[in-house]
Amino acid sequence: MDFNVRKLATDAGIFFSRAVQFTEEKLGQAEKTELDAHFENLLSRADCTKNWTEKIYRQTEVVLQPNPGARIEEFLYEKLDRKVPPRPTNGEILGQFMLEAAKEFGSGTPYGSTLIKVGDCQRRLGGAEREFLQTSSISFLIPLRNFLEGDWRTISRERKLLENRRLDLDACKARVKKAKAAETKAGAVPDFQETRPRNYVLSASASAAEHELRVAQTEFDRQAEVTRLLLEGISSTHVNHLRCLCEFVEAQAMYYSQCHKYMLELQRELDIFNYKTITSESIIHKNASSSKKVHFLSPTDPSAFLPLNSPSPLETDALQIEEVQPPASGTRKAKVLYDYDAADSSELSLRADELITVYTVPGMDSDWLIGERGNQKGKVPVTYLELLS
């Protein structure tokens, strides 16, 4: 117990001495040991690295998990050293709702069958998002957090210790300066018998202060070298963070590529489904209209008697396509994105990566163009094409 009290008193004295030295430096009443320019640059670079790494880490967390409640939950599980329970993504939840709604509405209805297609796509998008979040956390977030919670804490601890060593060194310099000033002043006094003991004490005090100064200088130099090595390691940290950043970009590009692929597939399915539905309804409507006209035409009406070679309602579209002529200007080249099989003779079948000539005609649906490939001509869907300049 006696040892602990003595140690406590010694620590309190050191703390008080450092506080006095720090206050006098701030007030301009004491000299301060300045670090070299290279060391100051290392300190500035380390602080800059820490500040920006922390900002990037926090904002990346927000991008990957916008829900603050979910972020707090993950933080608590991590601090408790427990595994975070699996949580479905928003896309997976939306896809599940759509599939359940399709069962209620009937999978045979146009709306129900479309809900099944879109719901399945949303579930795949949610799965891709889950993989992206896991990959980004492992390859990017964890290395940044390890730096902030590991390397940076070590650097901060050594920098604080270096600052204490500097304060001790400056305090020793101040004591040596005072002791020498007192010794010089005492030496100027006439050499009487009663002054010799005092000169001896002042000389011993100056020697002790110089010894403390040498010890403090050695400890300061040693701590400065340790801190310098840690600060120079920031360059290796930048190299590591650069590699992690490239992996994050690669994971992000793969995620968006998968999403784009899934959406193109869904769009193609919906285009084919909608076109077949519209075509079927149009044919039914034409047949119904033709039946009504034949039923109500009078035998005396000349329009009731058609020549033998007149086209049927189903052949009218094909005949009109053949008669379409390309405009004098306004034709463009287009690259086919993926295969397309013509639904009837008015359309043109496509093969992926081929180049065709396309143009539009007045009164034509904006979702379709006229495509030409050699002597072949027909309607082609715009969503299957990439128009070239």
Side-chain angles (χ1 to χ4, degrees):
M1 183 66 182
D2 182 58
F3 173 78
N4 292 335
V5 172
R6 188 179 297 110
K7 183 177 184 301
L8 181 62
T10 301
D11 293 342
I14 294 174
F15 176 79
F16 180 75
S17 175
R18 291 170 179 171
V20 171
Q21 177 65 27
F22 183 80
T23 304
E24 290 180 350
E25 289 177 357
K26 292 298 182 182
L27 296 176
Q29 300 176 358
E31 296 182 359
K32 176 181 178 181
T33 300
E34 299 293 342
L35 301 171
D36 59 85
H38 176 63
F39 201 97
E40 292 289 350
N41 290 335
L42 292 177
L43 291 174
S44 177
R45 188 183 185 207
D47 290 334
C48 183
T49 301
K50 182 260 181 182
N51 293 334
W52 283 112
T53 300
E54 193 171 28
K55 290 180 180 180
I56 293 173
Y57 175 78
R58 299 302 179 193
Q59 191 58 34
T60 305
E61 277 190 325
V62 174
V63 171
L64 298 180
Q65 179 53 266
N67 187 354
R71 294 201 303 272
I72 294 176
E73 181 182 358
E74 293 175 358
F75 175 79
L76 293 177
Y77 273 103
E78 181 182 350
K79 291 302 180 182
L80 296 174
D81 197 17
R82 296 179 60 183
K83 185 178 180 181
V84 180
R87 182 188 299 109
T89 62
N90 293 329
E92 291 174 327
I93 296 176
L94 176 60
Q96 185 63 32
F97 286 169
M98 288 184 174
L99 293 176
E100 293 177 359
K103 293 180 181 179
E104 293 290 335
F105 299 142
S107 59
T109 62
Y111 184 40
S113 60
T114 304
L115 278 174
I116 292 177
K117 292 182 176 65
V118 178
D120 182 67
C121 180
Q122 294 299 326
R123 293 181 63 179
R124 288 189 292 170
L125 291 174
E129 180 183 2
R130 179 190 299 276
E131 294 179 2
F132 167 64
L133 295 179
Q134 294 175 351
T135 304
S136 300
S137 176
I138 295 173
S139 63
F140 191 61
L141 281 182
I142 291 180
L144 296 185
R145 186 174 63 215
N146 289 341
F147 167 74
L148 294 173
E149 297 180 355
D151 296 347
W152 181 252
R153 288 185 179 180
T154 302
I155 293 175
S156 300
R157 183 172 60 251
E158 297 300 329
R159 286 179 63 177
K160 183 178 180 181
L161 188 57
L162 176 63
E163 180 67 11
N164 291 336
R165 294 287 183 264
R166 187 195 62 77
L167 291 173
D168 294 341
L169 175 62
D170 290 340
C172 290
K173 289 180 178 179
R175 285 195 294 268
V176 169
K177 186 176 180 180
K178 291 179 181 179
K180 288 185 176 182
E183 186 179 8
T184 302
K185 183 178 180 180
V189 178
D191 189 12
F192 296 110
Q193 183 70 24
E194 62 273 15
T195 63
R196 289 179 180 176
R198 187 179 63 176
N199 292 340
Y200 176 78
V201 171
L202 291 175
S203 178
S205 176
S207 299
E210 290 178 351
H211 175 71
E212 291 179 358
L213 175 60
R214 288 192 295 270
V215 173
Q217 185 69 53
T218 301
E219 293 179 351
F220 172 78
D221 293 341
R222 184 186 301 111
Q223 185 60 37
E225 184 63 24
V226 172
T227 308
R228 183 192 302 273
L229 292 175
L230 290 174
L231 293 175
E232 289 176 348
I234 292 293
S235 298
S236 300
T237 300
H238 285 187
V239 173
N240 183 40
H241 288 181
L242 173 61
R243 179 182 57 82
C244 297
L245 181 61
C246 292
E247 292 180 359
F248 173 68
V249 172
E250 184 178 354
Q252 200 171 27
M254 184 177 298
Y255 165 64
Y256 288 124
S257 176
Q258 288 181 339
C259 293
H260 182 65
K261 177 183 176 183
Y262 294 153
M263 293 308 299
L264 283 179
E265 293 176 355
L266 175 63
Q267 191 177 30
R268 179 173 57 184
E269 291 179 4
L270 293 182
D271 285 343
I272 295 175
F273 174 77
N274 291 335
Y275 176 75
K276 290 182 177 179
T277 302
I278 294 173
T279 303
S280 300
E281 293 177 353
S282 176
I283 293 175
I284 294 173
H285 178 70
K286 288 181 180 179
N287 291 338
S289 300
S290 301
S291 301
K292 290 179 181 178
K293 288 180 181 178
V294 172
H295 181 75
F296 290 103
L297 281 177
S298 172
T300 59
D301 191 347
S303 62
F305 301 96
L306 299 177
L308 295 176
N309 58 352
S310 62
S312 64
L314 295 178
E315 296 174 348
T316 304
D317 290 340
L319 181 61
Q320 293 176 351
I321 290 296
E322 294 297 330
E323 293 177 351
V324 169
Q325 297 297 326
S329 61
T331 61
R332 299 179 63 179
K333 290 292 185 180
K335 180 182 178 182
V336 179
L337 297 177
Y338 33 75
D339 296 345
Y340 175 74
D341 295 328
D344 54 41
S345 59
S346 66
E347 297 181 5
L348 179 65
S349 296
L350 303 174
R351 293 295 173 262
D353 298 330
E354 70 173 339
L355 295 177
I356 62 173
T357 302
V358 295
Y359 53 88
T360 184
V361 294
M364 191 172 184
D365 190 349
S366 60
D367 293 334
W368 294 84
L369 293 173
I370 301 296
E372 289 188 1
R373 181 181 56 235
N375 296 328
Q376 297 178 338
K377 181 190 304 183
K379 295 191 299 183
V380 292
V382 176
T383 54
Y384 283 64
L385 303 174
E386 177 184 358
L387 297 179
L388 305 177
S389 57

